Amino acid sequence: RVPNLLINGAEGIAVGMTTNIPTHNLGEVIDATIAYMDNEEITTQELMQYTIGPDFPTGGIVVNKSELLDIYENGSGKIKIRGNVEFEPGGKKDKDKLVITEIPYTMIGANIGKFLSDVVDLIETKKIQDIVDVSNESSKEGIRIVLELKKNADIEKIKNILYKKTKLEDTFGVNMLAI
């Protein structure tokens, strides 16, 4: 037996209560289960040596890792997730690129299209002036959203604007309630 609820996560609404459990890595949860079987007095902090935190299918970076212990002990809180943005320098003919290879779990589905249109809006309103082209090259191999940049673009400034003005950084509300 394994704690399937942690591995697959859960989401639901009932009368007067909600559940929102993030997904976790199978191997990490199994290791934590074995550690619990070996020592039923194990603390949450000790369990977190095995299960580091949520493992979302779309990837993403948990920004507030220091709050995870409190979230797991209290059973509720907010996890802040960011997409993974990598810089790819261009060659003589190619332009520099920012490539998004992981997105927050809350951005799956139609929200990728919304993200792309939000980036285009930022370009059109001149809030970001260093992006030349936006394309979604995602496939069954994985997520790949490419932002072509002008020469000498301020990469950190672009990243910060994207995190602040789009869903590239989002929160996942956790409520570890199971009936």
Side-chain angles (χ1 to χ4, degrees), residues 60 68-69 100 103 125 146 161 171 177 179:
L68 287 178
L69 177 62
I100 300 164
I103 58 173
T125 58
V146 179
I161 292 171
T171 56
L177 177 66
I179 301 175

Side-chain angles (χ1 to χ4, degrees), residues 81 104 106-107 115 118 162-163 165-170:
I81 325 162
T106 55
M107 206 167 100
F115 169 74
D118 288 347
L162 291 174
Y163 289 138
K165 302 280 186 185
T166 69
K167 291 284 188 179
L168 194 57
E169 179 177 287
D170 206 359

Side-chain angles (χ1 to χ4, degrees), residues 57-129:
T58 58
I61 301 162
V62 175
V63 178
N64 59 336
K65 286 184 181 179
S66 62
E67 297 173 27
L68 287 178
L69 177 62
D70 189 49
I71 290 170
Y72 283 125
E73 286 186 337
N74 294 319
S76 65
K78 292 185 179 185
I79 297 173
K80 192 181 286 190
I81 325 162
R82 276 187 175 174
N84 185 30
V85 182
E86 299 170 358
F87 176 72
E88 287 184 4
K92 291 181 180 178
K93 296 180 183 178
D94 294 331
K95 295 185 182 213
D96 291 345
K97 298 174 187 170
L98 281 180
V99 180
I100 300 164
T101 56
E102 297 177 9
I103 58 173
Y105 186 59
T106 55
M107 206 167 100
I108 60 173
N111 286 335
I112 291 178
K114 169 108 173 67
F115 169 74
L116 294 172
S117 71
D118 288 347
V119 173
V120 170
D121 287 345
L122 288 171
I123 295 167
E124 288 175 352
T125 58
K126 301 201 185 288
K127 291 181 181 169
I128 295 181
Q129 297 181 357

Side-chain angles (χ1 to χ4, degrees), residues 5-7 9-12 17-24 29 44 48 51 53-54 56 68-79 172-179:
L5 198 58
L6 280 176
I7 296 164
E11 187 176 309
M17 57 191 84
T18 62
T19 296
N20 205 14
I21 301 172
T23 57
H24 291 78
V29 172
T44 307
M48 287 185 66
T51 303
F56 296 106
L68 287 178
L69 177 62
D70 189 49
I71 290 170
Y72 283 125
E73 286 186 337
N74 294 319
S76 65
K78 292 185 179 185
I79 297 173
F172 182 92
V174 176
N175 195 4
M176 300 273 205
L177 177 66
I179 301 175

